[in-house]
Amino acid sequence: MPSLEDIPRPENGFYVLITGANSGLGLAIGCRLIDEFLHTRPQDQSLVLITTTRDQRKSDATVEKLRQHLQKVCGKVERSVPGMSMLLQRRVHLRPEQLNLTSIISIQELSRRLRRTTPKLDVIICNAGIGGWVDLYWGRAVWSILTDWKNETTWPTFKKSGVGWETKPQIPAPASGARIQEPPMGEVFCANFFGHYLLGHYLAPLLARHSSTEQTRGRLIWVSSLDAFTHTLKLDDIQSIKSSHPYESSKRLGDVVGITSTLPSSAPVVDQYLDHAADTHHTTKPRIYVSHPGICGTSIFPLSPILDFCFFVAMYVSRWLGSMWHPVTAEKAACAMVWLTLANQRMLDSMEVGQGVGKWGSATDWWGQERVERTEVDGWGWGGRLDESTNRKGRSPFAKDLTKEDKEQFEETGRKCWEELEKLRIEWEQRLDEAGVGVKMED
């Protein structure tokens, strides 16, 4: 963790926070962001990359990997333009921080530190998470892949999840006396969604723009999945503690909440969450975007070396069979998240006016050339438009054409989820305050 004197605060800085940046997709997002920032942004603008990991060892390793990548990039430029390497390296500032997304106190502590030491945030990329899977249904896996290879390696139906996973107690045990009783908190729910939800709330003041002349809005980018299906999310078990699909449920929750964050029906609760309603005349409301990496190789589902090799081969075969959702490598899978981070705000707004609010995914062609593609969302289609053509590549085999009833149900589900999440947030803040362990956010 950097000391106050070492914290970078460049005058013309572009501040990005990435959770879970120590490996896999998170590290790839950081590397790709450095590349594209240096190639597309003005020479007088600096990138401040805030990376969060669970402990100091991972923080040090993450900074070292990103620094090596930066030196490699600058070395290539130096060979063609002597003297440019040092100029480019000075434009990138790495700031490691520690965060445990299954601990509300950890989230509050980091948020307070950032609010006290960081002038603003331009983007938060909510990438960290856990799969919650414990095994595969092997018989089903072999049969389904052999009979429907492309679809089953894109939307697998053979993963076996753990059930009933809960976080460690949120309230520390007192020095003497009995531990304070508290309700359970779903571990996968908290690691994948609710921890990021709280982080977005506490850091919303840094994302808000304090001038109407700003060309961009602060952005909260949630990393979702292709597996975010309607049936996996149950409102009476929103933390998916009893669910046999906790990972998919947490990703579906991100889709529903992210997309409905722009709708009038959810506006009062969203304003409360973003702490924006009281200051609408002086700040620009941050935006929430939903993305996904397609199918790529990461450590979220640990496999033996042999199975890991087989998995990579299967992904390449799926791409050659016509799947657009197999970037395979984490670097290509980071395409959508980095694009949303750096994209011009007017362009994003214009695309949403023409096509509706949607979900952005990393895709590739047969040769592996990556691109960003809109992704169909259960109950919402590609942008909430009933006249949208359904003759599009990349549809799930379980997809259904959007109806008016489906869209209305999607909006209602979003509103209820927002209300339930805000209720849960407030209840936990009150519970921690009463126990004397809550962290105050006052600057």
Side-chain angles (χ1 to χ4, degrees), residues 120 122 208-217 284 345:
K120 66 169 183 171
D122 292 279
R209 291 294 183 263
H210 296 278
S211 170
S212 59
T213 61
E214 287 278 0
Q215 296 181 355
T216 63
R217 286 184 170 188
T284 302
Q345 188 66 49

Side-chain angles (χ1 to χ4, degrees), residues 359-415:
K359 178 177 178 178
W360 304 94
S362 300
T364 60
D365 61 14
W366 194 89
W367 298 101
Q369 294 297 314
E370 65 267 38
R371 65 184 187 274
V372 179
E373 285 279 354
R374 277 178 171 265
T375 307
E376 188 173 15
V377 177
D378 267 7
W380 186 253
W382 282 271
R385 295 177 52 177
L386 297 176
D387 60 345
E388 183 75 53
S389 171
T390 57
N391 187 25
R392 297 177 64 163
K393 190 177 180 181
R395 294 194 80 190
S396 160
F398 313 110
K400 298 178 180 179
D401 294 350
L402 181 64
T403 66
K404 180 180 178 182
E405 292 73 23
D406 290 337
K407 182 179 178 181
E408 290 174 349
Q409 182 60 50
F410 186 92
E411 294 182 12
E412 179 64 12
T413 299
R415 183 186 63 80

Side-chain angles (χ1 to χ4, degrees), residues 85-144:
S85 176
M86 289 304 299
L87 293 176
L88 291 179
Q89 290 191 49
R90 289 170 186 162
R91 293 180 58 203
V92 178
H93 305 272
L94 304 176
R95 175 179 172 181
E97 296 286 353
Q98 294 176 36
L99 171 66
N100 179 1
L101 284 162
T102 64
S103 166
I104 299 176
I105 293 177
S106 173
I107 297 166
Q108 290 181 335
E109 289 175 341
L110 173 63
S111 299
R112 182 174 65 176
R113 175 177 168 83
L114 290 174
R115 287 173 61 159
R116 289 179 172 179
T117 60
T118 310
K120 66 169 183 171
L121 280 174
D122 292 279
V123 180
I124 299 175
I125 303 176
C126 301
N127 161 74
I130 58 177
W133 303 299
V134 295
D135 204 348
L136 301 177
Y137 294 103
W138 287 99
R140 186 190 306 171
V142 173
W143 173 256
S144 59

Side-chain angles (χ1 to χ4, degrees), residues 138-345:
W138 287 99
R140 186 190 306 171
V142 173
W143 173 256
S144 59
I145 290 177
L146 291 178
T147 57
D148 192 9
W149 187 295
K150 185 176 71 172
N151 286 328
E152 284 295 331
T153 56
T154 310
W155 298 277
T157 59
F158 46 78
K159 294 179 292 185
K160 184 178 182 179
S161 299
V163 178
W165 289 13
E166 300 175 4
T167 66
K168 295 179 180 179
Q170 299 293 323
I171 302 174
S176 60
R179 179 184 291 276
I180 299 175
Q181 292 297 313
E182 61 181 69
M185 176 77 77
E187 184 175 17
V188 178
F189 162 78
C190 203
N192 292 0
F193 180 81
F194 194 59
H196 289 124
Y197 181 87
L198 294 175
L199 190 68
H201 170 71
Y202 296 134
L203 297 180
L206 295 181
L207 288 169
R209 291 294 183 263
H210 296 278
S211 170
S212 59
T213 61
E214 287 278 0
Q215 296 181 355
T216 63
R217 286 184 170 188
R219 299 172 189 175
L220 187 63
I221 300 173
W222 287 342
V223 179
S224 181
S225 167
L226 285 168
D227 291 336
F229 293 115
T230 300
H231 71 273
T232 63
L233 175 62
K234 307 295 183 184
L235 292 180
D236 59 354
D237 183 27
I238 198 169
Q239 297 191 43
S240 57
I241 295 176
K242 302 175 183 178
S243 173
S244 58
H245 304 282
Y247 173 85
E248 294 81 359
S249 173
S250 69
K251 297 304 181 179
R252 174 63 177 179
L253 188 57
D255 283 9
V256 171
V257 170
I259 289 174
T260 59
S261 66
T262 63
L263 303 182
S265 58
S266 303
V269 191
V270 177
D271 282 340
Q272 175 180 288
Y273 167 71
L274 293 174
D275 196 21
H276 185 71
D279 195 24
T280 54
H281 297 295
H282 298 92
T283 61
T284 302
K285 184 176 177 180
R287 273 296 313 272
I288 297 173
Y289 293 96
V290 181
S291 65
H292 75 84
I295 308 298
C296 65
T298 68
S299 59
I300 194 169
F301 197 149
L303 298 170
S304 66
I306 294 177
L307 288 177
D308 193 49
F309 173 77
C310 293
F311 176 54
F312 270 87
V313 171
M315 286 191 289
Y316 279 110
V317 172
S318 295
R319 183 199 290 174
W320 297 332
L321 289 174
S323 171
M324 62 188 284
W325 298 127
H326 281 81
V328 181
T329 66
E331 179 188 6
K332 294 181 183 295
C335 174
M337 284 61 74
V338 174
W339 177 77
L340 279 172
T341 298
L342 297 175
N344 179 276
Q345 188 66 49

